[in-house]
Amino acid sequence: RRNPARRERIWVYWHMMVVLTMAAALWGIGAAMGTPRRARWIMIGILLLLVNLAQILLPEGNTLREATGGDARLWPFVMSLIAIACGYKYLLNKLKKRIKTPEVSAPKAGFSDVELDRYARHIMLREVGGQGQKALSNAKVLVVGAGGLGAPALQYLAAAGVGTIGVIDDDLVENANLQRQVIHTYDQIGAPKVMSAADVMTAQNPHITVRPYHRRLTAEIAAELFADYDLILDGTDNFETRYLVNAACVSLGKLLISGALTQWEGQLSLFDPAHDAPCYACVFPSAPDPALVPSCAEAGVIGPLPGVVGSMMALEAIKEITGAGEGLRGRLLIYDALYAQTRVISVKRRADCQVCGR
């Protein structure tokens, strides 16, 4: 009685509690009726907006204005606090979604204990995890060429658990191949490379499917063959086939990982014009003079070099399938084994490219 200002504050808080009780009632009724959370928030927002408008538009002493607090400054302040709290929660949830937590559960139902043990080191990697291993098991990858680059790529793709691996090559295993093409063995000399490679891959990992194609890749079969795969790896040793593989990938929108090597130097890149990265023809518009790029048989090649570059091709494929890290899209990696130097240069799509030009 002796403090009118205090009684007025109590009166304001009382009516404020009435409005908040109405908001809680709207939320509870909506929940009981199965109304989506978003719709319930909208109803509460409309209630607060109407109360705020009543404080601003109605004159002092108005019954409705007094019943909802009687102070035009009150509800804008309350709504500001609610907006800050909602904004904070939104940003917090957004940050949580960006944080990748380790996935250590089984990749998918049906994986045997042997498979889980085999891929345990993958699953423990935060960037791969169970979902990444599941993606590998569901992936289909085609490797063009079962020679120097194809051999290590095939071995590591098989070991990693890529579910379906195709390999196309029309060559037979020769004694001269064994210095670097370590997927083949001495007793396989004379056998088709794709069959030799398939035997080693299935022996190394019986949980995958290998599709060997003992034939030469031609323009007549490329599109139909590539259409059944998610990702193409080109490990061939001639420009004619490289341009053929690139053209087929561009026409189908398939991602291409291409490698090449000579003597002591290797290079690889990821070509993906479907996502505005260059295609192979953007970087190499035309084949160089054969005298400038002699074959391995003519110029020689150090044995472990195909293993290094081919393994990197498999690694880029695994990263692309699992979404781990950053790939070589728009970049060309050059590895100089003789001087132990690695360079990465940027490459761009060409608007006048004859294959993928806009």
Side-chain angles (χ1 to χ4, degrees), residues 5 10 22 87 97 193 211 232 257 274:
I10 294 174
M22 292 172 59
K97 289 180 181 179
K193 284 186 177 180
R211 299 175 180 174
I232 312 298
I257 296 173

Side-chain angles (χ1 to χ4, degrees), residues 81-96:
L81 290 178
I82 294 174
I84 292 172
C86 292
Y88 175 78
K89 184 177 180 181
Y90 172 77
L91 292 175
L92 188 61
N93 289 336
K94 195 171 183 180
L95 287 173
K96 285 181 178 179

Side-chain angles (χ1 to χ4, degrees), residues 73-140:
R73 299 167 299 176
L74 175 64
W75 290 108
F77 176 70
V78 173
M79 293 182 69
S80 298
L81 290 178
I82 294 174
I84 292 172
C86 292
Y88 175 78
K89 184 177 180 181
Y90 172 77
L91 292 175
L92 188 61
N93 289 336
K94 195 171 183 180
L95 287 173
K96 285 181 178 179
K97 289 180 181 179
R98 294 181 62 183
I99 297 174
K100 295 181 179 179
T101 55
E103 174 64 70
V104 295
S105 58
K108 68 174 183 179
F111 266 33
S112 66
D113 291 341
V114 173
E115 290 175 281
L116 293 177
D117 183 59
R118 170 187 285 271
Y119 306 128
R121 273 61 173 180
H122 272 179
I123 297 171
M124 290 302 295
L125 289 172
R126 186 177 70 177
E127 296 81 4
V128 178
Q131 292 302 314
Q133 191 61 49
K134 179 180 178 181
L136 287 171
S137 70
N138 292 332
K140 294 181 178 180

Side-chain angles (χ1 to χ4, degrees), residues 26 70 150 174 186 199 227 230 266 281 334 358:
L26 282 175
E174 300 177 2
Y186 185 78
D199 289 343
D230 308 313
I334 302 172
R358 298 177 180 83

Side-chain angles (χ1 to χ4, degrees), residues 171-218:
D171 282 348
L172 305 177
V173 178
E174 300 177 2
N175 185 52
N177 300 146
L178 305 183
Q179 163 255 10
R180 63 199 179 280
Q181 299 176 22
V182 295
I183 200 170
H184 310 300
T185 57
Y186 185 78
D187 59 354
Q188 291 286 349
I189 291 176
K193 284 186 177 180
V194 293
M195 300 303 178
S196 172
D199 289 343
V200 172
M201 293 162 67
T202 52
Q204 205 276 341
N205 190 350
H207 308 291
I208 64 170
T209 299
V210 181
R211 299 175 180 174
Y213 306 97
H214 181 221
R215 60 185 303 179
R216 186 171 186 81
L217 182 68
T218 63

Side-chain angles (χ1 to χ4, degrees), residues 202-285:
T202 52
Q204 205 276 341
N205 190 350
H207 308 291
I208 64 170
T209 299
V210 181
R211 299 175 180 174
Y213 306 97
H214 181 221
R215 60 185 303 179
R216 186 171 186 81
L217 182 68
T218 63
E220 289 73 26
I221 67 169
E224 183 178 357
L225 177 62
F226 287 14
D228 197 32
Y229 291 89
D230 308 313
L231 180 62
I232 312 298
L233 271 65
D234 180 12
T236 56
D237 59 359
N238 65 88
F239 283 97
E240 179 184 357
T241 307
R242 290 175 192 165
Y243 286 115
L244 169 60
V245 171
N246 178 68
C249 287
V250 170
S251 66
L252 295 171
K254 299 290 183 179
L255 192 148
L256 169 64
I257 296 173
S258 181
L261 48 84
T262 182
Q263 296 184 322
W264 292 88
E265 186 175 284
Q267 64 184 36
L268 73 148
S269 186
L270 189 154
F271 300 107
D272 187 18
H275 294 90
D276 207 34
C279 76
Y280 183 85
C282 290
V283 183
F284 305 101

